[in-house]
Amino acid sequence: MKLKKIKLWLCLLGILGATYPAEAQTTRGWGVGTFGGYSLPVLGMGSRFSGAEQFGATWHHLRSSRLMMELEYHYSNFDNSEEAKQAFTWAVDGQTYLSPEAVSQIRFHSAVFNVVVAPWGEGFEGKMFRSYIALGAGIYGYRSERRNFIYPGQKNPPLDPTQHLNPQINEKAALGVNVGFGTQRFFSDKVALDLRARYHVVLGELHPMAAWGFDHQAFPLQFFQIGAGLKFYFQKS
């Protein structure tokens, strides 16, 4: 059902881009941009990871003064995991133990198509602030990895800290969507500062780690992102 919703979202984005009223077709052009930001996981993903920096680049096509298409790549690495900081209780002696060498992280390499609509004011024109709404969907490639966790199923004391669980690696290309809003401050017809806040929902998962207190699967993966970047416009007229 969720996969069908993502496909429907992609179709709606295409229809919106093709049919949005182009009453101000005097402005067209293309450009490139780069951005950096901060992503904060929420809900199930938020209980396991803290925030992380995000970096990316865009190619954008200004279809009219109010409508822009974007192709976006972004990267983020969530490596400040609560899983690796948690202790487990060993059933043999009832004591709690940390895994000092434990590593738990999830990395994203994502390619997203965004439709950016500026329904207010003069759209993406002039040396002023222009607010907009952003809708996007695409492929969120991610790799989650856990390693060096002490094996909690040992039977004989004392606990051997060199016995580890087998590394757990989950690598997928998952569909995802994002929705947000932002504003652009034009310094000239060719350069603008872009400020944006978005919410991402990715059809990915994090498996349970019951011995460490994470009893349930985290699905879907969700995070809130704020960022700033520069956009450079070419052939803008």
Side-chain angles (χ1 to χ4, degrees), residues 52-145:
E53 296 177 342
Q54 186 181 63
F55 304 95
T58 62
W59 177 90
H60 49 270
H61 171 58
L62 195 61
R63 185 173 181 270
S64 75
S65 65
R66 298 185 184 276
L67 177 64
M68 182 165 61
M69 311 290 199
E70 285 184 344
L71 291 177
E72 171 193 344
Y73 163 80
H74 66 250
Y75 167 81
S76 54
N77 179 24
F78 298 91
D79 58 1
N80 190 12
S81 171
E82 293 300 319
E83 294 175 343
K85 300 174 184 177
Q86 294 296 318
F88 68 91
T89 300
W90 193 28
V92 174
D93 61 9
Q95 301 297 311
T96 58
Y97 295 88
L98 291 169
S99 299
E101 299 178 4
V103 174
S104 177
Q105 62 186 12
I106 181 169
R107 297 175 181 173
F108 284 90
H109 291 273
S110 305
V112 182
F113 172 71
N114 300 315
V115 173
V116 183
V117 181
W120 308 285
E122 300 176 12
F124 298 105
E125 291 183 332
K127 301 176 183 180
M128 298 179 65
F129 287 97
R130 297 304 181 197
S131 298
Y132 60 80
I133 299 169
L135 306 172
I139 302 298
Y140 289 68
Y142 71 91
R143 176 187 173 96
S144 63
E145 182 176 355

Side-chain angles (χ1 to χ4, degrees), residues 87 163 173 196 223 230:
Q163 288 192 34
R196 188 177 303 188
F223 52 93
L230 287 175

Side-chain angles (χ1 to χ4, degrees), residues 89-228:
T89 300
W90 193 28
V92 174
D93 61 9
Q95 301 297 311
T96 58
Y97 295 88
L98 291 169
S99 299
E101 299 178 4
V103 174
S104 177
Q105 62 186 12
I106 181 169
R107 297 175 181 173
F108 284 90
H109 291 273
S110 305
V112 182
F113 172 71
N114 300 315
V115 173
V116 183
V117 181
W120 308 285
E122 300 176 12
F124 298 105
E125 291 183 332
K127 301 176 183 180
M128 298 179 65
F129 287 97
R130 297 304 181 197
S131 298
Y132 60 80
I133 299 169
L135 306 172
I139 302 298
Y140 289 68
Y142 71 91
R143 176 187 173 96
S144 63
E145 182 176 355
R146 299 174 179 135
R147 62 180 186 275
N148 299 336
F149 283 82
I150 295 175
Y151 176 53
Q154 298 178 44
K155 302 298 184 182
N156 300 315
L159 183 73
D160 183 356
T162 65
Q163 288 192 34
H164 294 155
L165 289 171
N166 291 329
Q168 300 178 22
I169 298 175
N170 185 21
E171 191 168 9
K172 289 185 178 179
L175 290 173
V177 299
N178 72 81
V179 60
F181 63 91
T183 187
Q184 287 193 35
R185 170 62 167 94
F186 282 87
F187 299 108
S188 70
D189 287 341
K190 304 297 184 182
V191 182
L193 173 66
D194 189 298
L195 305 175
R196 188 177 303 188
R198 290 186 290 177
Y199 192 84
H200 299 259
V201 179
V202 182
L203 298 184
E205 60 186 351
L206 295 172
H207 298 304
M209 293 277 286
W212 285 265
F214 301 96
D215 298 328
H216 302 290
Q217 177 190 52
F219 178 88
L221 305 179
Q222 302 177 64
F223 52 93
F224 177 76
Q225 178 232 336
I226 56 174

